[in-house]
Amino acid sequence: MKNYRWATLGCGVIANQLADAMHKKGRQLYGVANRTHANAVSFAEQHGIPVVYDTIQDLFADKNVDVIYISTPHNTHFSYVCEALRQGKHVLCEKSIMLNAQELQTAAAIAEANQVVLAEAMTIYHMPLYKKLREIMADGILGPLRMIQMNFGSYKEYDMTNRFFNRSLAGGALLDIGVYALSFVRWFMAETPGQIVSQVKFASSGVDEQAGILLMNSRQEMAAVSLSLHAKQPKRGMIAYDKGYIEIYEYPRADKAVITYTEDARQEIISSGKRDDALWYEIRDMETSLSGETDEMHLQYTADVMDIMTQIRSSWRMTYPEEQGKDTM
């Protein structure tokens, strides 16, 4: 497989994990750009990265770069992703990949026109455990899917200027943590849900602080999602079938699941992969897709989830400044 040259746009927590994941496998990032140049210099020194770009545009224009990992705030993704794609770069973008469905449709069209790969860095689609569970589902030993229950709650102090609650930074529970729960739901459902209802509690800044979401598709597979940025909950997913149910904790980067069989309450532990290698699995699947071996990036699932989140926010009449006066559906 080709040795692809990766660069990162952004040098926060995720970018550090990306650099560490590459170093662990004997690789290193080729370059780094950041809105604050001094931070990029420090990041490069810490991780032994040879190229620091003076401007973000310099990164996009560098013909030596194959793939750009974008980990800037949500509200910057659309402009950065589109420019990188136009410059012929493959892009792996942190979740949520865009603010709304229309932005993603536009970016996907640019990727297709320039014959490059666009993907969201959604760990659930790449952790080996979830691929293993899909194989178990396909075997049919659990029977038809009936219900999925998802929890994700963080306790964040009420600071309406930080990114979690800041409307100008596309804050809110749905885009920050709900995207994990909904991606989990989409992974296990046979088709995307078409019936969606929700309740929301807004923070004083106008973003969604807490939400409950119910979903159902045409096969009558159902899901219930509970989200909060100000009430701690376990990161727990439960998938119920006719003949048993699967429980997964810390599901964004899970490496273990427990199946409980309905008939005799027997339990089976399924283990696969390592949570500490979550970023490496994303890198590996991206490069496999770039080589043309298989498509491991599941952009259609990403689009399905973005459609769901856009419909939900539309029902709440909640928009971000970048969306004002635009048709986002």
Side-chain angles (χ1 to χ4, degrees):
M1 184 182 295
K2 176 181 175 180
N3 186 17
Y4 293 96
R5 289 184 290 265
W6 288 66
T8 177
L9 172 50
C11 49
V13 173
I14 295 297
N16 277 277
Q17 292 178 4
L18 178 74
D20 289 342
M22 285 199 157
H23 184 262
K24 187 176 178 180
K25 300 297 181 179
R27 304 265 303 274
Q28 71 174 21
L29 285 167
Y30 172 81
V32 55
N34 195 66
R35 289 178 295 179
T36 304
H37 184 258
N39 291 346
V41 171
S42 176
F43 182 89
E45 291 174 350
Q46 178 183 352
H47 294 287
I49 298 169
V51 179
V52 180
Y53 298 96
D54 291 333
T55 70
I56 292 171
Q57 292 301 320
D58 290 340
L59 163 58
F60 295 150
D62 187 351
K63 296 188 182 303
N64 291 316
V65 172
D66 299 305
V67 191
I68 300 177
Y69 194 110
I70 295 177
S71 58
T72 55
H74 297 149
N75 62 319
T76 65
H77 288 177
F78 180 65
S79 60
Y80 288 155
V81 167
C82 290
E83 182 59 26
L85 296 171
R86 289 190 184 99
Q87 295 283 353
K89 302 296 186 285
H90 304 289
V91 173
L92 183 57
C93 183
E94 255 305 299
K95 55 81 192 169
S96 291
I97 190 169
M98 298 290 164
L99 296 184
N100 56 64
Q102 182 58 55
E103 287 187 349
L104 181 54
Q105 290 169 13
T106 299
I110 295 171
E112 183 176 4
N114 288 275
Q115 298 183 315
V116 290
V117 172
L118 168 64
E120 181 178 57
M122 173 47 64
T123 52
I124 287 167
Y125 299 156
H126 308 291
M127 296 299 293
L129 176 69
Y130 289 102
K131 298 180 181 183
K132 179 65 175 177
L133 291 175
R134 283 283 284 270
E135 294 174 4
I136 293 171
M137 289 167 51
D139 287 342
I141 60 174
L142 293 174
L145 172 65
R146 301 302 186 188
M147 168 67 79
I148 301 174
Q149 293 183 337
M150 303 301 300
N151 296 83
F152 198 142
S154 299
Y155 183 83
K156 307 297 183 186
E157 296 288 347
Y158 277 139
D159 176 358
M160 299 303 149
T161 64
N162 72 21
R163 72 174 185 86
F164 299 107
F165 295 107
N166 191 331
R167 185 168 168 267
S168 294
L169 294 176
L174 188 63
L175 290 191
D176 193 73
I177 59 178
V179 65
Y180 283 117
L182 293 170
S183 296
F184 183 107
V185 168
R186 185 63 192 93
W187 182 257
F188 288 101
M189 278 191 169
E191 61 185 39
T192 191
Q195 298 183 49
I196 306 165
V197 295
S198 65
Q199 294 283 347
V200 63
K201 175 186 177 184
F202 292 110
S204 61
S205 60
V207 303
D208 54 310
E209 171 189 322
Q210 188 164 293
I213 304 165
L214 297 176
L215 310 104
M216 185 168 72
N217 63 22
S218 68
R219 300 192 185 198
Q220 296 190 314
E221 298 170 341
M222 300 178 68
V225 176
S226 174
L227 307 171
S228 180
L229 286 179
H230 198 62
K232 185 67 176 175
Q233 300 178 66
K235 299 182 185 71
R236 174 182 178 267
M238 189 281 295
I239 316 103
Y241 300 84
D242 265 9
K243 299 177 182 180
Y245 61 89
I246 304 172
E247 290 180 285
I248 305 173
Y249 284 87
E250 299 300 322
Y251 62 79
R253 300 187 178 188
D255 53 18
K256 183 176 76 171
V258 178
I259 301 176
T260 301
Y261 292 93
T262 303
E263 184 177 18
D264 56 7
R266 175 174 57 91
Q267 292 192 323
E268 178 183 5
I269 297 175
I270 307 295
S271 298
S272 187
K274 296 181 180 179
R275 69 173 63 249
D276 291 344
D277 287 336
L279 271 291
W280 175 250
Y281 298 134
E282 292 180 352
I283 295 167
R284 182 190 63 188
D285 282 357
M286 184 71 170
E287 293 189 345
T288 297
S289 296
L290 297 183
S291 70
E293 296 177 32
T294 57
D295 178 8
E296 299 287 344
M297 302 315 292
H298 305 288
L299 185 62
Q300 184 56 57
Y301 284 2
T302 298
D304 291 344
V305 171
M306 187 56 63
D307 285 342
I308 292 168
M309 295 195 297
T310 302
Q311 290 180 54
I312 290 170
R313 285 203 298 116
S314 178
S315 72
W316 295 345
R317 292 187 169 88
M318 176 187 152
T319 60
Y320 295 112
E322 293 82 2
E323 298 173 317
Q324 299 300 310
K326 297 180 180 178
D327 180 8
T328 60
M329 294 296 290

